[in-house]
Amino acid sequence: MPQEDQPVTAAREERYDAQRIEQKWAERWQSDPSLYAAEAHPTKPKYYVLEMLPYPSGALHMGHVRNYSIGDALARYMWMNGYNVLHPMGWDSFGLPAENAAIKNNTPPKQWTLANIAAMKLQMNRLGFAYDWSREVTTCLPDYYRWNQWFFLKLYEAGLAYRKKSKVNWCPQCATVLANEQVVAGMCWRHEDQPVEQRELEQWFLRITKYADELLRDLESLQEWPEKVRIMQQNWIGRSEGTLVDFDLGGTVGPAGSTITVFTTRVDTIYGATSVQLAPEHPIVCDMIARDTDLRAKVEQLVAEQRKAKEAGDIGAIEKHGVFTGRYAKNPYNGEPVPVWVANYILIDYGTGAIMSVPAHDERDYEFAMKYNLEIRLVILPQSNDDETMAEPALPFTAMNAFLVNSGEFNGLTCADAIKKMSARAAEKGFGKPTVTFRIKDWGISRQRYWGTPIPMVYCEKDGVVPVAEKDLPVILPDNVPITLAGGSPLMNVPQFLNTTCPKCGGPARRETDTMDTFVDSSWYFYRYADAHNDKAPFDSAKIAYWFPIDQYIGGVEHAILHLIYSRFWTKFMRDMGLVKNDEPIARLFTQGMVIKNGAKMSKSMGNVVSPDEMVARYGADAARLYSLFAAPPDRDLDWQESGIDGIQRFMGRVYRFYLRNPVETGLAPSPPAQSQTLSPKARDLQRKLHQTIKRVSDDFQGRWHFNTCIAAIMELVNEIYGAESAGKIPASLIADVRRNIALMLAPMAPYLAHELWEMTGETGNLLKSPWPKYDPALAAEDEIEIPVQVNGKLRGLVVVPASATNDQVEQAALADEKVKAAITGKQIVKKIVVPNKLVNIVVR
RNA sequence: GCCCGGAUGGCGAAACUGGCAGACGCACGGGACUUAAAAUCCCGGGUCCGUAACAGGACGUGACGGUUCGAUUCCGUCUCCGGGCACCA
């Protein structure tokens, strides 16, 4: 120990020198890479704790520090509780920022990315996070992304990866396509002021919709996920049950067909349909306008206005417009012809892109009908016990708790019954059927970018679209590619990459030049940690069977939809391939709050960023970690206040000085536990407080994750020590007890300090693998308790009774209290309530 | 518009199952130590009324109402703040 090497000066002894002590331990820990190494072990209980892997932007921010401090505390706590812990870290290292940096600094994306990784790894190590670096995953390296390509081939074989020409979301600033999930209120998720344009491109899609039902259903099993996340995913998947109904156009339209199929969830209101509305992009509309230039002009104007409104930043519901096509379609239930319109509020990519319009019973249809003077026909009425006085409801009337009128043979049915009977009728007669639609769409993964996983497909003039052979993986992303944001993949300009031979016929062919969405990388990375160096397969299934599902995943709520729904999809696909056995990847999810300062999220544009490096340099890693755990419970937003971290530093010094005042020579056997009978009252109070503190910290750690109250409890214990010390000498055995236990309790949250304290107690064993302390209920028990006494619910006195006092004894003591007496004199006692160990309330009149 | 959170001292927060509101920490005030400061150690702080000082009293967890012997906690209505979704038929 340094104290032995060189006599410390008095001044130095006073202060906890975080820099020196943390340096010392960091060196020791790094000299032993096996310290945090995990090994699958069939008989040991496992615990897989994972924090969301960062994008290597160049430096950690406080959100990372908070996220990783929580995960690290948990990992260390579980180690101390005897679990075989897997706690890995990696880098989500493909993506656009590397290309932007390349353009700005003229550095290749790979070089920039790897340098950032090195820098951030140093930061993480300086912060003392206990990761098993032997399992590090870097998604931009071929030994990882080759398995993205391999999975893509498997998806293609299974018919779950397909190519289609489609309108896609295009961000002009990113110069690439965005997934639906990356469009936020019509704007690019990376450029909040950039409206997303629609472009027609050939794109690769993954058929996530195949799993839509299961993704929804299995949310039920994720009871340990925040309800908020489950609801967000549920809404995103957006399942609705409804009916398809064919409206006959009378054979007057071209190749797109002569019936319009509408989707409705309220077929019970179909006798109230007074028009059919088509999306402007509907194929039947295309047919119609091909032969009607007048209509064409009107529809084009409709579309143009729509686009203008969107680009002007209008989000949500914009004003409804429509155009009458001059045609009629027949309602198959009553044979009535209704006018066919084209309307801007009909979405082409939901349902069938066509609806029946029931103005009396749908808000949007009502608004539209009022504007264009369409007929409004009431076909359901509220249910009432008193049929005589039934009043017409306010329109639009959309309740389900109603019954049918003006609906022919279906009159009198309740809405729910009518939906069943009427959709069955459609199927029976062949003009429709019950159906289920989803809001979620297939996942478009093509990106016209350089810094991503090449899609392993080849285009041959003779054989068409041909997958690269598995043995030829990985398709290596070439270096030294000139990067522009001009549009189109930069790989198109690399002949050595572009030109290849057809895997089928051997003739000349061209490679796919698009790369994969980076969310592919993060959809399965946590499986790779279980078997990070496998070069025969993405992983060994036996290892997955041991480690999965992830016991605890921790990250920001911003990934509630994208990353977490893609990951679930990927797992289900791998399960169906037979690679894994689990249906879900993540058993428990925790979403921590944001780090804010001065009322706003920390960001460069707000200028309120606090640098972790600066905090570590000024206060040390432990202080930064402890503060991020202390300032708020982990699920809430944390308001960063520099003065708060001063207080933490002061607390650490207070703990440290207690150990300095009570030195122990190394090599001594641990003292036997203190005997409570022989202790002075003040020492007994300290002993009780110690055991109560162990209980509180254990409870708050395990069950609630309230690290803030864990730390507060330890602070109270330290305050008690100082009080006891000033009151007289404390027996050495009790001091030894306290000293050991404080080091153990601090170990998950402040590892540097805890290790130093552990060494100062004369312990030589590995703190990380030392058992978490247990409290003794007998030693934690109070001898006497203070019971508040209320009169009519108002506090009037306090009585001190033995902890063993009966309710009667407590009541007698309460009635004997002078203040209580004064409050009840001359009044009649109506009731006496004694809550054991809690309170007495006397009700008087 | 719909869905989910949240609101407690000057500030961050605590009160876990309805039972002493404000633990713990920050900031602040006072004292000790010091030539002085820093550091450290000790003490005090919800608001208002009241007292020379004690005492004592009233009010107090966004607002209003309800249930209860008793409500920060449960119920209803509303306000404000944060987040998600955005015409999904």
Side-chain angles (χ1 to χ4, degrees), chain A residues 55 93-95 98-99 109-110 113 140 449-453 477 515 518:
Chain A
Y55 177 80
S93 47
F94 270 138
E99 290 185 60
K110 187 174 182 179
T113 302
C140 66
R449 300 293 352 138
Y450 161 70
W451 192 233
T453 304
L477 183 68
T515 54
T518 56

Side-chain angles (χ1 to χ4, degrees), chain A residues 646-662:
Chain A
D646 283 330
I648 289 292
Q649 200 179 37
R650 224 168 283 163
F651 161 67
M652 292 172 64
R654 258 167 94 78
V655 179
Y656 183 65
R657 282 187 294 277
F658 162 63
Y659 282 69
L660 281 181
R661 275 197 297 278
N662 296 281

Side-chain angles (χ1 to χ4, degrees), chain A residues 33 87 109 189 192 290 325 403 416-417 430 533 546 561 588 597 602 607 673 679 718 756 794 820-821 842:
Chain A
H87 188 217
W189 69 322
E192 287 167 22
T325 62
F403 67 95
D417 281 348
H533 303 290
Y546 176 72
I561 297 177
R588 298 190 72 190
K597 198 184 177 196
M602 276 191 189
L679 294 177
V718 172
E756 183 70 12
K794 297 208 170 187
V820 175
K821 271 190 196 163
I842 298 161

Side-chain angles (χ1 to χ4, degrees), chain A residues 151-447:
Chain A
F151 277 121
F152 184 91
L153 295 178
K154 297 294 172 192
L155 285 157
Y156 182 73
E157 273 170 37
L160 295 178
Y162 65 94
R163 208 163 102 99
K164 128 181 131 179
K165 188 164 197 180
S166 70
K167 284 236 169 93
V168 293
N169 305 303
W170 179 271
C171 171
Q173 285 195 54
C174 297
T176 188
V177 165
L178 304 175
N180 291 318
E181 287 81 351
Q182 291 161 341
V183 179
V184 179
M187 302 291 165
C188 172
W189 69 322
R190 289 292 186 221
H191 303 100
E192 287 167 22
D193 313 323
Q194 178 63 59
V196 170
E197 298 173 2
Q198 299 296 309
R199 289 201 182 178
E200 186 111 324
L201 285 175
E202 285 276 358
Q203 297 289 303
W204 285 100
F205 287 85
L206 300 185
R207 212 180 293 280
I208 192 171
T209 53
K210 183 193 164 190
Y211 290 96
D213 239 329
E214 196 191 340
L215 286 168
L216 180 69
R217 181 160 31 86
D218 284 355
L219 284 174
E220 293 286 319
S221 71
L222 301 178
Q223 289 304 310
E224 302 287 342
W225 282 35
E227 192 190 9
K228 176 186 179 165
V229 173
R230 294 204 313 262
I231 291 172
M232 281 164 73
Q233 291 209 357
Q234 192 180 315
N235 293 340
W236 188 263
I237 296 167
R239 181 182 196 273
S240 39
E241 291 182 4
T243 313
L244 296 175
V245 181
D246 296 337
F247 280 65
D248 190 10
L249 278 165
T252 55
V253 183
S258 63
T259 58
I260 298 171
T261 304
V262 306
F263 171 74
T264 177
T265 55
R266 293 298 302 268
V267 70
D268 55 314
T269 63
I270 199 166
Y271 282 77
T274 55
S275 66
V276 162
Q277 304 284 343
L278 301 175
E281 305 85 354
H282 196 286
I284 287 177
V285 177
C286 298
D287 277 353
M288 288 177 176
I289 63 179
R291 290 177 293 151
D292 183 340
T293 50
D294 192 37
L295 182 61
R296 174 183 212 115
K298 285 183 190 161
V299 171
E300 276 171 0
Q301 198 196 340
L302 194 71
V303 173
E305 278 170 8
Q306 169 104 336
R307 184 183 305 142
K308 221 158 88 191
K310 280 251 152 94
E311 288 178 6
D314 275 5
I315 52 167
I318 58 173
E319 200 188 332
K320 294 178 177 47
H321 293 292
V323 178
F324 176 46
T325 62
R327 292 166 194 278
Y328 291 82
K330 198 168 80 182
N331 181 338
Y333 285 88
N334 58 10
E336 186 180 36
V338 294
V340 177
W341 287 64
V342 179
N344 65 348
Y345 72 98
I346 309 304
L347 306 172
I348 184 62
D349 51 4
Y350 182 77
T352 58
I355 64 148
M356 64 176 197
S357 174
V358 184
H361 306 298
D362 181 280
E363 274 178 40
R364 296 148 301 182
D365 297 346
Y366 182 78
E367 187 188 331
F368 190 83
M370 292 301 280
K371 178 164 177 178
Y372 290 102
N373 257 325
L374 301 177
E375 190 192 343
I376 297 172
R377 192 186 299 163
L378 202 69
V379 293
I380 61 173
L381 290 175
Q383 263 175 0
S384 156
N385 295 328
D386 182 4
D387 289 355
E388 301 299 312
T389 60
M390 207 158 42
E392 291 217 342
L395 294 183
F397 173 66
T398 59
M400 273 295 279
N401 179 27
F403 67 95
L404 273 67
V405 295
N406 300 328
S407 298
E409 61 184 290
F410 301 103
N411 279 341
L413 292 175
T414 64
C415 292
D417 281 348
I419 288 172
K420 274 184 220 145
K421 293 219 165 82
M422 293 171 79
S423 57
R425 174 66 52 85
E428 210 175 281
K429 298 270 183 180
F431 60 72
K433 61 175 180 188
T435 191
V436 174
T437 359
F438 292 92
R439 214 192 74 124
I440 191 172
K441 315 249 169 20
D442 279 339
W443 173 16
I445 59 154
S446 295
R447 296 291 180 275

Side-chain angles (χ1 to χ4, degrees), chain A residues 684 687-688 691-692 694-695 774-781:
Chain A
R684 172 68 186 107
Q687 186 190 42
R688 184 184 301 113
H691 285 265
Q692 290 175 343
I694 296 170
K695 174 170 166 46
K774 294 213 173 349
Y775 73 99
D776 180 338
L779 295 181

